[in-house]
Amino acid sequence: MTGFNLKEKFKELLKIGKKLPAEYFDLGVAFWLLNPDEEEYSADFLSKKYLHKECNSSAKGSTETHPKPLELKQLYEVASKKLKEYKLEKLFYDVEMPLLSVLADMESTGIKVNVKNLKEIDKELEKKLTGLVKSIYKEAGETFNINSPKQLGKILFEKLKISLGGVKKTRGGSVSTNIETLLTIQGRHAIVKYILEYRELFKLQSTYVGPLQELADKDKRIHTTYIQTGTSTGRLSSQNPNLQNIPSGGEWARKIRNAFIPEKSYLLASFDYSQIELRVLASLSGDPKMIEAFNNDLDIHRLTAANVFNVPLEKVTPDMRQLAKTLNFGVVYGMGARAFSKASGLSIVEAQRFIEEYFNDFKKIKEWQEEIKMQARTSGYVMNLNGRRRWLLQAASMFRSEAAEAERAAINMPVQGLAADIIKIAMVKLSSEIKKLKWENKVRMLLTIHDELLFEIDGHIIKEAGAFIRKIMESAYELEVPIKVNVKIGKNWGELE
DNA sequence: TATGAGGGCGCC
DNA sequence: AAACGGCGCCCTCATA
């Protein structure tokens, strides 16, 4: 079978109990592998671009357009030839295509939520919000739309005349009212703390608690859609609803996660790859210190702290470790002194010193990053270990900021992209092993959240299945360092141990 | 009424 | 806010 949106077709087949085709070729996914930064991966768009056809212009609106068989054939010819040319066949046929049906399964299964519970949280939030709105209007001396940054800015800085010291402008030139700003002016007026809490609670209610109730089906299950062509690095994205950004820290977040539950007599189990991106970075760069740290299962942030502060491991304080953690994360993203100073609270000069010290201690990481940047500049693309490719023609741009942006993307993609491959490979392997064991109904893969898999598992086999899943995830890929998976189990998503 | 930009913020 | 990578969704507001 060849076509577009095969995942949707497969979900239809699953619904009516039909068998999926043994061989299939999703054109959207194929063109995404060839260039993950296309504007879209529709038949129309790709026909126009690669076959020099005009759009299948049935006005806009109504139903999705159905490409003609001939166009499909032609697009297939182009895609399969290019996949071979760019050595992407293995990734396509062994990872992305098998993954497509795994995703169809996961989406069809969905995850159960306690709608009653959500409703209660909704009520609670409503009550809190009503009180906050009252307090805010009282402090402001008038009513206004708190959700409007424009109106809020007027109230704060014109009506209440809160000092603008340390307050930044937005890109559009207006005064910012973001959290950063609110925190800096918090001591200057009583209204600010109400607004901070209002922002937090309104976000939770409008983005999560409300929509999640609406999206539950008759079995109280929520079905996200994974977008296989949704990122430039190889990750998946999740939409309608996005189940990859459910709140995780804090009291309200816990309440929301508590509402994600297993079916009766099942348990939820999460399996998350420990420090997967740093392990990948250690492996790719071959940095001896970092590799040794992971080989000895050391606390990587503590090890980093000991190095950048030049103290023995046991002399590392929590503050030092926190700073090192920020540094480790930042390095993966190509963070500069400015961003690090912002994230750490250090001065830019101090921040710069720490970054230099970091790269002095982990020289191979610096070298690896320089190589990747060079590759991007000279060839116009970067690749990860599996040949996953991202075109970055801007790396050679004469505009420094544009080139720098591309360079940051260049050093991040091979790391984020390999981590993405690893979990994808694990998912495919898991799915086939679960089928082999005839565990389809006892072990259900529900969510994939970048470095984490969430399962719903029959309580009777939880131990066995947990060990089994962990094993497969840890052995899905061979790096220069061990891959470690943390397992947590519980009666809901908010209380896993 | 529909759309898109802007501001903002949730996650890994 | 971003000289910190990758996402999706909410609301407002101007414009079509």
Side-chain angles (χ1 to χ4, degrees), chain A residues 117-131:
Chain A
N117 198 337
L118 284 173
K119 202 158 228 130
E120 286 166 16
I121 300 170
D122 208 356
K123 283 228 173 81
E124 244 181 293
L125 285 171
E126 196 63 51
K127 210 167 131 190
K128 284 261 186 194
L129 282 166
T130 307

Side-chain angles (χ1 to χ4, degrees), chain A residues 199-254:
Chain A
R199 275 267 171 84
E200 181 195 353
L201 302 192
F202 189 85
K203 171 91 178 177
L204 297 178
Q205 190 191 40
S206 63
T207 308
Y208 304 102
V209 179
L212 288 177
Q213 300 174 64
E214 302 303 315
L215 290 166
D217 68 12
K218 60 179 187 326
D219 299 320
K220 308 285 198 289
R221 298 186 82 93
I222 292 179
H223 308 266
T224 185
T225 301
Y226 290 104
I227 310 297
Q228 208 170 347
T229 56
T231 72
S232 310
T233 56
R235 277 186 177 181
L236 297 163
S237 70
S238 156
Q239 72 178 193
N240 191 26
N242 182 353
L243 293 182
Q244 292 180 323
N245 75 344
I246 301 299
S248 74
E251 172 199 355
W252 289 98
R254 203 202 66 244

Side-chain angles (χ1 to χ4, degrees), chain A residues 5-6 8 43 72 84 95 121 167 173 194 269 276 308 327 331 361 369 373 379 409 422 458 471:
Chain A
N5 273 324
L6 296 189
E8 288 308 311
L72 236 43
K84 190 180 185 85
V95 182
I121 300 170
V167 175
Y194 297 129
I276 188 68
V308 297
L327 214 35
V331 164
D361 290 323
Q369 293 191 339
K373 288 195 270 186
S379 70
I422 292 171
D458 187 326
K471 187 97 180 176

Side-chain angles (χ1 to χ4, degrees), chain A residues 260-429:
Chain A
F260 287 80
I261 55 176
E263 187 181 302
K264 193 164 186 181
S265 84
Y266 286 68
L267 290 165
L268 287 184
S270 89
F271 300 77
D272 74 280
Y273 280 114
S274 163
Q275 311 289 0
I276 188 68
E277 290 196 347
L278 281 177
R279 285 173 201 265
V280 165
L281 179 62
S283 190
L284 293 177
S285 66
D287 187 88
K289 249 184 219 166
M290 202 161 270
I291 287 178
E292 202 199 325
F294 282 123
N295 280 338
N296 294 315
D297 202 22
L298 296 185
D299 175 343
I300 190 65
H301 302 314
R302 172 174 286 266
L303 182 276
T304 303
N307 274 278
V308 297
F309 286 100
N310 292 307
V311 299
L313 279 172
E314 60 276 12
K315 283 275 170 74
V316 172
T317 66
D319 278 354
M320 291 157 83
R321 185 181 179 280
Q322 177 56 47
L323 186 137
K325 187 175 174 181
T326 306
L327 214 35
N328 275 328
F329 272 105
V331 164
V332 178
Y333 301 147
M335 181 174 65
R338 202 188 178 87
F340 181 51
S341 98
K342 188 70 207 167
S344 62
L346 298 171
S347 72
I348 292 193
V349 175
E350 289 172 312
Q352 182 57 44
R353 271 203 36 240
F354 273 110
I355 292 174
E356 276 164 21
E357 180 66 29
Y358 184 97
F359 284 128
N360 201 31
D361 290 323
F362 304 100
K363 289 194 175 62
K364 283 281 190 104
I365 293 180
K366 182 71 181 170
E367 284 172 28
W368 178 81
Q369 293 191 339
E370 291 304 321
E371 273 171 41
I372 289 290
K373 288 195 270 186
M374 174 72 82
Q375 149 107 32
R377 273 196 300 270
T378 58
S379 70
Y381 66 82
V382 293
M383 275 189 325
N384 82 351
L385 208 51
N386 295 325
R388 192 183 288 281
R389 180 183 296 245
R390 180 175 185 183
W391 298 92
L392 288 168
L393 302 174
Q394 314 88 319
S397 168
M398 55 187 295
F399 300 106
R400 286 181 59 91
S401 62
E402 204 174 276
E405 192 180 337
E407 286 182 348
R408 292 195 299 278
I411 64 171
N412 179 255
M413 183 273 172
V415 177
Q416 191 182 116
L418 184 56
D421 286 351
I422 292 171
I423 196 166
K424 284 178 166 182
I425 290 165
M427 289 167 72
V428 169
K429 185 89 188 293

Side-chain angles (χ1 to χ4, degrees), chain A residues 176-193:
Chain A
S176 172
T177 66
N178 69 7
I179 283 201
E180 223 52 59
T181 302
L182 295 179
L183 288 174
T184 52
I185 64 170
Q186 196 173 7
R188 301 177 197 172
H189 199 287
I191 195 173
V192 181
K193 68 170 189 294

